[in-house]
Amino acid sequence: MSKVIIALGFMLIAIVSGDHPVYWYREFEEITPVGDENVARSNQTVYRLPQNVVPLEYDIYIDLYFAERTDRPFSYDGKEYIIIQALEENVTQIVLHANVDSINAVSLLTSGLPVTLNPIEPFTIEPQYHFLKINLQQALAIRTNYSLMIDYSSAMNEGPMKRGIWRGWYTDDNGNERIYATTHFQPYNARQAFPCWDEPLFKAVFKLHLSRPENYSGTFSNTRMESSDRLNGSRVRDNFYATPIMSSYLVTFLISESFVVIAQDTSFEPPIRIIGRSNTVGLGKQALEFTVDMTKYLEKYFGIPYSELHPYLNNDHVSSPDWASAGTENWGMVSYRELYMILDPRETIMSVEHYAATLVAHELTHTWFGNLITCYWWSNTWINEGFASYFGYAATNEMFPRYEHNDHFNSRYLQTSLSVDSSVSTVPMNHDVNTPAQVTGHFGTISYSKGASFLRMTVDLITPETFRKACQYFLRNNAYKATDQYDLYNAFAQAIKEDGTLEEYSGFDFAEYYRVWVNEPGYPLLTVEINHATGQMSVSQERFFLSASATPSGQLYPIPISFSTRSDPDFNNLKPLHMMTSREATYRKTPREEWVIFNNLQHGYYRVTYDEKSWNLIGDALLNDPESIHYLNRAQIVDDIFALMRSERMTYDFGFKILRFLRNEANYHVWNPAISGYTWLRNRLRHMPDGQAMFDSFILSYMEHAIDTLGFDVDEYETPTISLTRQEILHFACMLGHEKCVRESRERFIALRNNNSWVDPKIRRNVYVTGIREGDQVDFQFLRNRMLNSNFANDQLEMLRALGAARDPELLTQYLQLTLTKAVRPHDKVNSFNFALLGNQENAHTVLQFVKNNVNEMRAAYVEDAPHNPVHTCLSNLAAYLVEPLLVEYEDWIRSTQSNSLQFNTAISAINSARNNMAWGSANVETILAAARDGAVHVMVSTALLVTMAVLALFV
Ligand SMILES: *[C@@H]1O[C@H](CO)[C@@H](O)[C@H](O)[C@H]1NC(C)=O
Ligand SMILES: *[C@@H]1O[C@H](CO)[C@@H](O)[C@H](O)[C@H]1NC(C)=O
Ligand SMILES: *[C@@H]1O[C@H](CO)[C@@H](O)[C@H](O)[C@H]1NC(C)=O
Ligand SMILES: *[C@@H]1O[C@H](CO)[C@@H](O)[C@H](O)[C@H]1NC(C)=O
Ligand SMILES: [Zn+2]
């Protein structure tokens, strides 16, 4: 996997990783890789397997060895028997995937008799494509069973990053270091564990037989264990029941010295179990509650009980000390990064708990959407990931309404996706991919977030009942099969036809709606011009690009129209009033002068702008009667306004005037896009400390109300959303140097250090970060030791984040050195590196020196060749945080010492982007500060005065 997801200094987005990605809220950006796409896409279908031979059943024997095998420690030997059939005549070569160290022998039998292979070259290996080609003397008989035997051997990967079969470590109750080995195959790494047809469409039955040292007693897989055999040399072979018919990427196992069931509910068939290292026993209660309730909800919603999927399938959820993504939906045995399974009200921060609930629902949804039915090929990854992401919120909202996940959907999926999908290079949900790098790249915002947003928009359009019916048809008609977008369309069409749910939209064609949203890139901007005297509203659409210089596209989108007015605030009515399918349309409202807001609760996947007068009416209402506008629409307005300003469709002056209402705002959903928008701007002012300080004080003046409202004292009964708001607001305010925030946080840190006073996890992030940022060496060593001794992955991560905020270059260097050791888990290395950049602006200087001195150590420790290219990410993130003359120093170093490295082009491109961002900042600083000031004090101030005025004084 060599697709690079590079992060640059702004806004939202994911560090994408094979399956459920880990999100970076607003700090870094996904960009396209540089220089790894040399071959035309049309030529790249050579990466795909021919479909003339298919596997029906695999019998796989894997013997796993650990340190006790002294000649090849941590390795495995495999032998498999695959029942295959040729579907075409004249097949003289069998092509499958293999990415193992050595193929020792291959043979083919039919009806028990050997089939002769080509004596000169019985098989060929093509490493670039991971192909194993078996050359026959004679063509295979069509639709006849053959048994293909492959004997092979390979080595376990060290740590999770390279997927396949890998090993990790943990400490047990007695403080001994213990080993485990497990698998992570999604999307194309089963071929590292056993040669196979490693594309989702080749579904088959898998029977695993795993041998291990006898004292590796914690062994689990997709299905129940059928039997165990004692072998020579203190070894045991565990035989697992055959799996359901499924794709190879969903096969998994875990072999460990002492993993155990840490929580379970045996009233279910199969029992629902949380599995983890032995010293987390008792800490899986909340994860169990999530899995139990989600299983109940989803099996009822889909009308297919879990227990009817397959007689031996488990419902296990593994808490893994290392995991390359957030979670992976292996059928019957889901694995998660431990952070999201070990939840404790006294130790876990709310954003992790909140995310964990959606993650469990997401992975469990895959049981049906992804595992029972599976996208035919990764071009349609969204069929797996869009549904899992949609239900990750919709199902959680039903079972755990306290988290208000339906509201949070907007910032997590909709706004994230609108941001990414407005670039010129965005791709449609159904997007042709072939190479492993392209496959990895398609596990990103478009498949997850746009997929989920499209589905939610469709739920509103066709009604929740019809949507559910369509899901059930789709699952039932395609169970145990691979499916494509047409199968899904047919299920929708059938349900819609039966229910007649679209009859009110005359002339609207659902097929065209589906085609456009699934197969065309981007989304529209709606421009609304209102004649308040007549009530006539003229609406036009065009594709929205963030770049002001993008060439307009002629694409039209079928848009669900909904709106609310002051006299008829209809925000919760989500069934569209009209479907707009033309470039222009006219709608009516009651004639009177009043605000009108389109796109109720921002459920439709589009942006909206208005004529100046209508914007002013909205602006007045936001300022004078904000509660008359639903908070999700206040959030929509903030999100749209930042995008409109960036795309030069609205001036900063005008936009900031509307945003004045933020100074009375304390709502999470409204502040979320505001913090993103302000962060994007302030990142472009980092080379102008005075300008940035003025901008910061402007932002802080707007945050006073929110800070006061939330306070520092947590109310035991407050809602999760309130806790999240405090976490976000205080973290941002402390970073910007808000005096009270810094003081309160630092005091609590000192109490923790001196008296071991418990810090509520709801304010822990800022207490830790501010404690270190404002602290000294004693504070640093205190927190470092606390981190190393903690049993809570979540708390450790928060402490790592904090240690990255050390200002002292020596301490920060110590911190960065720690990332090269096993004290920082492999999946947290890039996180930790980013924390150092985010901790304080001046840290970039120290990080640069560290990179220059340790780049080769980083390549080894961070696993340079892991699928999402961690070292590319670090080198490009660093550029985004440097200003001149450090950028010159960095560029000189890159050009003189790194010109042959894999990261060269990426780093140079990031340096150029950083310069462009600074240039943009220089060109716009006066406009932005003038707009900020104007918005803040609501009087015109000459821009010439700006540089000299003490802005702080105006705001506090
Ligand atoms: C695609 O393959 C053809 C035939 O092998 C070759 O001539 C052509 O140069 C290739 N195109 C690219 C862009 O690699
Ligand atoms: C298979 O080969 C035979 C003999 O060469 C030929 O007659 C037949 O048409 C081939 N079948 C296909 C499907 O190509
Ligand atoms: C071929 O193999 C499949 C899968 O094991 C089996 O179900 C089927 O009965 C076999 N067919 C014959 C003719 O043996
Ligand atoms: C398992 O056996 C190995 C080799 O004898 C030993 O090093 C290890 O500590 C044992 N593990 C457990 C959990 O007893
Ligand atoms: Zn997923």
Side-chain angles (χ1 to χ4, degrees):
M1 301 197 195
S2 59
K3 160 109 186 202
V4 189
I5 300 300
I6 299 165
L8 272 194
F10 82 91
M11 295 267 290
L12 301 168
I13 312 318
I15 291 181
V16 176
S17 55
D19 25 344
H20 199 91
V22 178
Y23 278 82
W24 272 95
Y25 286 94
R26 73 173 70 84
E27 333 288 8
F28 299 103
E29 181 199 3
E30 237 176 90
I31 68 166
T32 343
V34 182
D36 74 340
E37 307 253 325
N38 306 319
V39 191
R41 246 162 222 278
S42 56
N43 283 17
Q44 290 164 348
T45 51
V46 298
Y47 282 86
R48 301 290 305 279
L49 292 178
Q51 296 177 12
N52 52 7
V53 177
V54 295
L56 302 180
E57 192 176 303
Y58 296 75
D59 231 321
I60 306 171
Y61 291 78
I62 303 179
D63 302 324
L64 294 132
Y65 297 94
F66 297 86
E68 77 285 350
R69 179 188 245 184
T70 46
D71 58 332
R72 280 172 52 218
F74 305 109
S75 62
Y76 50 96
D77 298 335
K79 196 168 190 181
E80 62 178 342
Y81 304 87
I82 316 173
I83 298 175
I84 58 169
Q85 281 191 358
L87 301 184
E88 290 171 13
E89 285 179 51
N90 300 345
V91 173
T92 56
Q93 188 178 53
I94 301 167
V95 186
L96 69 159
H97 285 117
N99 185 17
V100 295
D101 292 346
S102 128
I103 301 283
N104 305 322
V106 173
S107 64
L108 190 64
L109 295 175
T110 187
S111 312
L113 300 172
V115 176
T116 324
L117 303 183
N118 182 318
I120 300 161
E121 200 178 24
F123 59 88
T124 323
I125 293 168
E126 291 184 10
Q128 185 187 352
Y129 305 111
H130 301 151
F131 283 164
L132 169 61
K133 294 183 167 173
I134 295 159
N135 306 312
L136 311 174
Q137 286 287 75
Q138 284 180 342
L140 294 173
I142 191 168
R143 295 197 185 278
T144 303
N145 283 4
Y146 287 83
S147 173
L148 174 63
M149 189 285 296
I150 303 173
D151 184 318
Y152 62 97
S153 48
S154 205
M156 294 178 193
N157 291 319
E158 189 180 346
M161 305 311 285
K162 292 215 251 184
R163 320 297 210 263
I165 299 181
W166 55 272
R167 70 181 201 275
W169 61 275
Y170 60 99
T171 39
D172 69 8
D173 305 328
N174 307 319
N176 297 319
E177 194 170 307
R178 296 294 176 200
I179 304 289
Y180 66 104
T182 188
T183 75
H184 187 163
F185 295 161
Q186 191 182 36
Y188 49 78
N189 292 295
R191 64 189 74 163
Q192 288 193 50
F194 49 88
C196 58
W197 276 256
D198 202 8
E199 294 185 5
L201 63 109
F202 294 104
K203 291 197 172 189
V205 167
F206 297 82
K207 287 187 198 157
L208 286 189
H209 311 267
L210 305 171
S211 88
R212 54 170 173 92
E214 65 180 349
N215 69 352
Y216 276 67
S217 54
T219 305
F220 304 89
S221 185
N222 307 80
T223 52
R224 280 178 13 215
M225 198 184 288
E226 182 174 10
S227 62
S228 282
D229 308 325
R230 303 217 120 260
L231 307 177
N232 291 335
S234 310
R235 290 181 63 84
V236 171
R237 173 177 295 130
D238 297 320
N239 305 296
F240 293 89
Y241 280 106
T243 66
I245 295 173
M246 65 185 212
S247 309
S248 52
Y249 75 93
L250 295 168
V251 174
T252 191
F253 59 80
L254 165 72
I255 306 269
S256 71
E257 291 188 77
S258 58
F259 272 52
V260 290
V261 174
I262 62 169
Q264 63 181 329
D265 188 333
T266 53
S267 65
F268 283 83
E269 182 50 42
I272 300 179
R273 308 191 296 180
I274 312 290
I275 290 159
R277 56 190 169 90
S278 52
N279 45 341
T280 55
V281 171
L283 296 176
K285 262 176 60 188
Q286 193 169 2
L288 183 66
E289 190 190 342
F290 290 154
T291 50
V292 165
D293 284 14
M294 289 306 157
T295 301
K296 277 191 213 157
Y297 177 83
L298 292 168
E299 63 182 10
K300 188 156 171 248
Y301 183 94
F302 295 134
I304 303 177
Y306 197 104
S307 60
E308 286 178 16
L309 293 167
H310 185 262
Y312 299 115
L313 191 68
N314 288 330
N315 191 351
D316 285 349
H317 299 261
V318 174
S319 159
S320 187
D322 308 276
W323 200 259
S325 62
T328 304
E329 68 268 25
N330 302 316
W331 209 2
M333 186 187 122
V334 184
S335 286
Y336 305 83
R337 197 177 284 188
E338 190 177 292
L339 170 69
Y340 299 113
M341 284 283 107
I342 305 304
L343 306 171
D344 184 305
R346 288 184 62 81
E347 300 289 344
T348 304
I349 68 169
M350 182 49 76
S351 54
V352 165
E353 179 186 328
H354 203 259
Y355 181 90
T358 70
L359 181 63
V360 168
H362 176 111
E363 303 305 346
L364 265 171
T365 301
H366 277 313
T367 300
W368 292 267
F369 272 97
N371 304 358
L372 179 60
I373 65 92
T374 310
C375 61
Y376 183 85
W377 173 242
W378 303 118
S379 301
N380 273 308
T381 300
W382 78 274
I383 293 179
N384 289 11
E385 299 305 342
F387 277 96
S389 300
Y390 170 74
F391 286 108
Y393 276 67
T396 314
N397 197 74
E398 293 298 316
M399 295 310 278
F400 299 96
R402 67 175 183 271
Y403 293 122
E404 304 172 297
H405 276 119
N406 277 354
D407 290 351
H408 289 268
F409 185 103
N410 286 23
S411 55
R412 168 71 187 283
Y413 287 133
L414 187 99
Q415 292 167 8
T416 309
S417 188
L418 290 179
S419 165
V420 168
D421 207 16
S422 54
S423 81
V424 179
S425 58
T426 188
V427 300
M429 295 194 313
N430 171 28
H431 172 61
D432 198 20
V433 293
N434 290 300
T435 68
Q438 292 163 355
V439 169
T440 304
H442 204 38
F443 277 83
T445 306
I446 296 301
S447 297
Y448 287 75
S449 304
K450 188 175 188 180
S453 302
F454 164 70
L455 290 173
R456 188 178 67 166
M457 181 163 83
T458 305
V459 173
D460 294 337
L461 172 63
I462 70 176
T463 76
E465 295 71 28
T466 302
F467 181 79
R468 177 179 178 186
K469 191 186 241 190
C471 287
Q472 295 192 351
Y473 285 156
F474 182 51
L475 292 172
R476 261 187 253 145
N477 295 340
N478 300 285
Y480 308 100
K481 290 191 214 148
T483 62
D484 62 22
Q485 56 163 320
Y486 303 103
D487 299 319
L488 178 57
Y489 170 76
N490 289 338
F492 276 129
Q494 187 186 345
I496 290 167
K497 188 162 170 231
E498 284 174 15
D499 292 1
T501 42
L502 294 178
E503 278 160 15
E504 66 201 88
Y505 309 109
S506 63
F508 167 67
D509 179 7
F510 182 79
E512 177 66 2
Y513 165 89
Y514 184 89
R515 184 195 70 76
V516 169
W517 287 106
V518 172
N519 293 290
E520 300 292 343
Y523 65 88
L525 169 71
L526 210 61
T527 301
V528 180
E529 293 186 5
I530 304 170
N531 183 331
H532 292 269
T534 64
Q536 175 160 316
M537 306 189 289
S538 310
V539 178
S540 62
Q541 64 156 300
E542 66 192 289
R543 180 169 166 195
F544 180 75
F545 291 106
L546 211 38
S547 160
S549 57
T551 314
S553 136
Q555 182 64 50
L556 290 183
Y557 301 84
I559 307 175
I561 298 291
S562 62
F563 59 86
S564 289
T565 66
R566 185 170 64 90
S567 57
D568 187 9
D570 202 19
F571 292 108
N572 288 302
N573 185 0
L574 298 168
K575 175 94 175 151
L577 296 168
H578 310 279
M579 286 303 297
M580 175 171 171
T581 52
S582 48
R583 187 164 308 283
E584 286 167 356
T586 304
Y587 304 111
R588 305 201 68 82
K589 69 168 198 80
T590 326
R592 65 155 59 107
E593 189 166 302
E594 60 177 351
W595 58 256
V596 180
I597 293 170
F598 275 66
N599 199 5
N600 288 344
L601 307 191
Q602 202 183 16
H603 269 222
Y605 191 74
Y606 57 96
R607 297 195 187 280
V608 192
T609 189
Y610 306 87
D611 61 82
E612 188 175 338
K613 181 181 177 93
S614 300
W615 265 126
N616 282 327
L617 289 165
I618 293 171
D620 289 347
L622 286 169
L623 206 52
N624 301 316
D625 189 13
E627 295 301 320
S628 66
I629 298 173
H630 192 285
Y631 52 84
L632 290 181
N633 279 96
R634 304 206 294 278
Q636 167 216 18
I637 288 164
V638 173
D639 191 50
D640 282 349
I641 282 179
F642 275 106
L644 292 167
M645 295 190 301
R646 274 179 65 185
S647 65
E648 298 176 19
R649 291 163 188 277
M650 181 183 278
T651 64
Y652 281 90
D653 196 50
F654 192 75
F656 278 27
K657 257 185 210 137
I658 299 170
L659 296 178
R660 276 176 303 178
F661 80 97
L662 287 170
R663 60 186 187 218
N664 306 318
E665 183 65 73
N667 183 283
Y668 176 87
H669 306 285
V670 188
W671 267 106
N672 207 309
I675 291 177
S676 297
Y678 287 138
T679 299
W680 189 88
L681 287 169
R682 78 182 285 279
N683 284 349
R684 277 151 186 74
L685 306 179
R686 75 172 87 241
H687 60 307
M688 295 175 286
D690 293 347
Q692 198 190 42
M694 283 188 213
F695 191 59
D696 286 356
S697 54
F698 152 73
I699 299 169
L700 285 174
S701 73
Y702 272 30
M703 295 178 80
E704 275 314 328
H705 171 76
I707 296 170
D708 281 352
T709 309
L710 296 158
F712 285 79
D713 297 312
V714 176
D715 171 356
E716 198 185 337
Y717 301 105
E718 71 187 25
T719 67
T721 300
I722 296 286
S723 307
L724 283 174
T725 321
R726 186 186 302 97
Q727 181 184 311
E728 293 282 306
I729 292 279
L730 294 189
H731 183 60
F732 192 56
C734 276
M735 189 177 77
L736 266 49
H738 186 267
E739 200 196 306
K740 181 164 181 232
C741 184
V742 170
R743 181 167 25 87
E744 295 268 355
S745 304
R746 176 77 184 143
E747 273 168 17
R748 284 167 171 80
F749 185 86
I750 291 168
L752 167 71
R753 193 195 66 196
N754 293 346
N755 313 322
N756 202 23
S757 310
W758 177 70
V759 180
D760 194 315
K762 294 182 175 123
I763 54 169
R764 217 171 258 194
R765 180 169 290 178
N766 357 291
V767 169
Y768 284 169
V769 172
T770 311
I772 295 298
R773 185 185 286 136
E774 306 300 327
D776 58 15
Q777 181 167 359
V778 177
D779 298 306
F780 183 89
Q781 299 309 348
F782 162 78
L783 201 69
R784 177 179 174 279
N785 292 338
R786 194 179 168 87
M787 193 267 295
L788 294 176
N789 294 318
S790 168
N791 192 34
F792 288 94
N794 171 220
D795 203 31
Q796 285 183 311
L797 185 63
E798 289 306 311
M799 291 188 265
L800 270 179
R801 178 193 299 275
L803 295 170
R807 287 183 200 273
D808 178 343
E810 219 168 281
L811 295 177
L812 192 67
T813 305
Q814 263 188 45
Y815 166 81
L816 289 163
Q817 290 289 354
L818 206 60
T819 70
L820 301 176
T821 71
K822 66 195 273 195
V824 174
R825 292 273 170 193
H827 58 236
D828 280 333
K829 305 237 184 231
V830 176
N831 290 341
S832 307
F833 183 91
N834 290 340
F835 293 153
L837 292 172
L838 294 168
N840 293 298
Q841 201 136 308
E842 60 273 26
N843 286 6
H845 178 260
T846 310
V847 178
L848 173 58
Q849 305 317 315
F850 174 82
V851 167
K852 285 169 67 175
N853 294 331
N854 296 282
V855 70
N856 289 326
E857 289 79 358
M858 282 175 65
R859 289 193 166 110
Y862 291 26
V863 196
E864 178 182 31
D865 53 348
H868 49 282
N869 296 17
V871 180
H872 289 67
T873 305
C874 293
L875 296 190
S876 94
N877 286 356
L878 171 57
Y881 277 75
L882 294 172
V883 297
E884 309 292 3
L886 292 175
L887 269 172
V888 174
E889 182 184 338
Y890 188 41
E891 183 171 4
D892 286 349
W893 176 75
I894 293 276
R895 289 194 185 279
S896 61
T897 69
Q898 304 297 311
S899 57
N900 294 323
S901 75
L902 294 174
Q903 297 85 20
F904 179 76
N905 289 335
T906 300
I908 293 296
S909 146
I911 290 167
N912 293 337
S913 300
R915 293 216 165 95
N916 290 340
N917 290 346
M918 298 306 122
W920 188 94
S922 300
N924 290 282
V925 62
E926 292 208 352
T927 311
I928 289 165
L929 290 179
R933 164 155 328 170
D934 198 21
V937 299
H938 202 203
V939 293
M940 283 300 290
V941 180
S942 141
T943 48
L945 276 176
L946 276 169
V947 201
T948 47
M949 271 177 72
V951 178
L952 250 171
L954 282 172
F955 297 137
V956 288

